Amino acid sequence: MDHKPKIAIQDLTKVFYKKASSVTALEEITMDIEDGEFVCLIGPSGCGKTTLLRILAGLENPSTGTFTIDQGKEDRPLQSMVFQERGVIPWLTVEENVAFGLKMRHLPKQTVKERTAYYLAKVGLGKFAKLYPKELSGGMKQRVSIARAFANDPEILLMDEPFGALDEQNKFILQEELLTIWSETKKTVLFITHSIDEALLLSDRILLMSSQPGRIIAEKIIDLPRPRTMEQVRANQTMADNFVEIWNHLQDEVQGSRV
Ligand SMILES: Nc1ncnc2c1ncn2[C@@H]1O[C@H](COP(=O)(O)OP(=O)(O)O)[C@@H](O)[C@H]1O
Ligand SMILES: [Mg+2]
């Protein structure tokens, strides 16, 4: 049997045109992501990370190049996206937010109810099902987004700095919750972060991007056993070396773009 990656991106370039000028946001991106893999994408601000996720989510078209997402199971959505902020619908309750995609797909009422309750419990929001987003903290809103994304049962999950706006304590808790749910569901995840610590904790593999135009310039396999904790990441010499190496790469990219 021939092998098929979950996400295959081939020579993908994205150019934005504005009046007389143009910006090459992404240049010749080629990568494969395996089924069940957790990949983190790190790169300097403006290097095209969000653009890449938006293309994979079908919200933008590539200028040239192609990508495919393997549709494993019929009638499953291809992708769910989790944003840094503003991911929840303000006029829907917590449970309505989580159930939203399932209702749109006209799944049986009982399935919607069960799946919503299951993922709300997973992220510790069982008691808050009837609240509205304005009654929630930032961390709770991100929990709603994560519960909704997993409840949708998509082929792949696209996460754009989902914990970027959270305080450290909340971030640690949500990272652990995410890893727990991921280890149960074995979803393919493409996760953007600007935190090297976060990438080391979460990922099977880290891809590093250059500053604009965004290209993939390095890859690191993170083979620390799971389940992981931040203490283990911090105490591990190889991870410390990885940290410094990635840090230096990013410094070079940021310096290089300041001309
Ligand atoms: N819709 C758009 N129109 C024009 N330029 C855009 C658009 N979206 C993004 N860009 C430009 O593309 C580049 C990459 O942006 P983005 O993907 O948001 O970077 P990142 O998420 O890595 O910070 C930036 O220079 C940004 O200004
Ligand atoms: Mg971005």
Side-chain angles (χ1 to χ4, degrees):
M1 231 175 76
D2 61 343
H3 170 79
K4 201 169 179 194
K6 195 72 196 171
I7 307 174
I9 304 175
Q10 189 71 43
D11 295 327
L12 190 149
T13 293
K14 178 69 183 179
V15 184
F16 288 109
Y17 294 97
K18 262 190 253 165
K19 293 188 182 154
S21 69
S22 66
V23 175
T24 304
L26 297 168
E27 192 170 70
E28 303 260 308
I29 304 284
T30 295
M31 64 161 102
D32 284 349
I33 297 178
E34 300 304 320
D35 192 13
E37 205 181 6
F38 198 126
V39 174
C40 280
L41 202 57
I42 300 191
S45 175
C47 76
K49 304 179 295 295
T50 296
T51 301
L52 183 61
L53 282 209
R54 287 177 53 81
I55 289 172
L56 293 174
L59 301 170
E60 299 268 3
N61 287 318
S63 301
T64 58
T66 57
F67 72 91
T68 54
I69 300 166
D70 180 39
Q71 177 83 59
K73 210 165 116 185
E74 288 267 320
D75 88 349
R76 202 189 237 170
L78 265 191
Q79 66 288 90
S80 285
M81 190 127 164
V82 179
F83 301 94
Q84 182 170 354
E85 297 170 87
R86 294 186 294 277
V88 291
I89 304 165
W91 56 87
L92 298 181
T93 64
V94 165
E95 69 183 353
E96 286 166 347
N97 263 283
V98 175
F100 186 74
L102 304 174
K103 283 190 182 153
M104 295 281 283
R105 281 155 61 203
H106 305 292
L107 294 188
K109 271 211 173 93
Q110 192 58 24
T111 309
V112 174
K113 208 173 144 192
E114 281 169 15
R115 227 193 267 176
T116 300
Y118 181 81
Y119 282 104
L120 277 179
K122 279 279 159 203
V123 296
L125 287 179
K127 288 199 195 114
F128 305 97
K130 305 289 180 198
L131 297 189
Y132 284 89
K134 65 170 188 293
E135 303 171 270
L136 306 178
S137 68
M140 289 160 88
K141 280 186 217 167
Q142 284 312 74
R143 288 192 168 87
V144 175
S145 290
I146 290 169
R148 179 176 51 201
F150 278 96
N152 283 339
D153 191 26
E155 295 289 347
I156 66 168
L157 271 164
L158 303 168
M159 308 186 85
D160 193 356
E161 305 198 38
F163 309 142
L166 301 182
D167 59 75
E168 290 287 302
Q169 274 74 36
N170 259 303
K171 188 157 65 177
F172 284 146
I173 298 167
L174 266 87
Q175 285 166 340
E176 278 192 12
E177 287 177 0
L178 172 63
L179 282 181
T180 305
I181 303 176
W182 172 74
S183 67
E184 287 173 9
T185 58
K186 279 290 166 195
K187 287 282 169 205
T188 309
V189 182
L190 184 55
F191 186 107
I192 295 177
T193 177
H194 56 254
S195 160
I196 303 173
D197 274 333
E198 182 165 76
L200 292 172
L201 174 71
L202 298 178
S203 56
D204 296 317
R205 187 154 59 104
I206 298 176
L207 295 172
L208 256 130
M209 286 177 76
S210 65
S211 53
Q212 198 176 76
R215 287 166 290 114
I216 306 289
I217 51 169
E219 172 185 83
K220 278 247 152 275
I221 307 288
I222 308 302
D223 53 7
L224 202 63
R226 297 177 187 271
R228 300 173 186 164
T229 63
M230 194 53 96
E231 291 76 52
Q232 289 166 333
V233 174
R234 289 261 164 83
N236 184 293
Q237 187 56 46
T238 313
M239 294 303 130
D241 296 344
N242 282 335
F243 185 101
V244 172
E245 208 179 305
I246 295 169
W247 174 266
N248 287 336
H249 256 302
L250 287 177
Q251 286 304 103
D252 290 348
E253 285 304 318
V254 173
Q255 294 299 338
S257 66
R258 285 161 53 121
V259 271

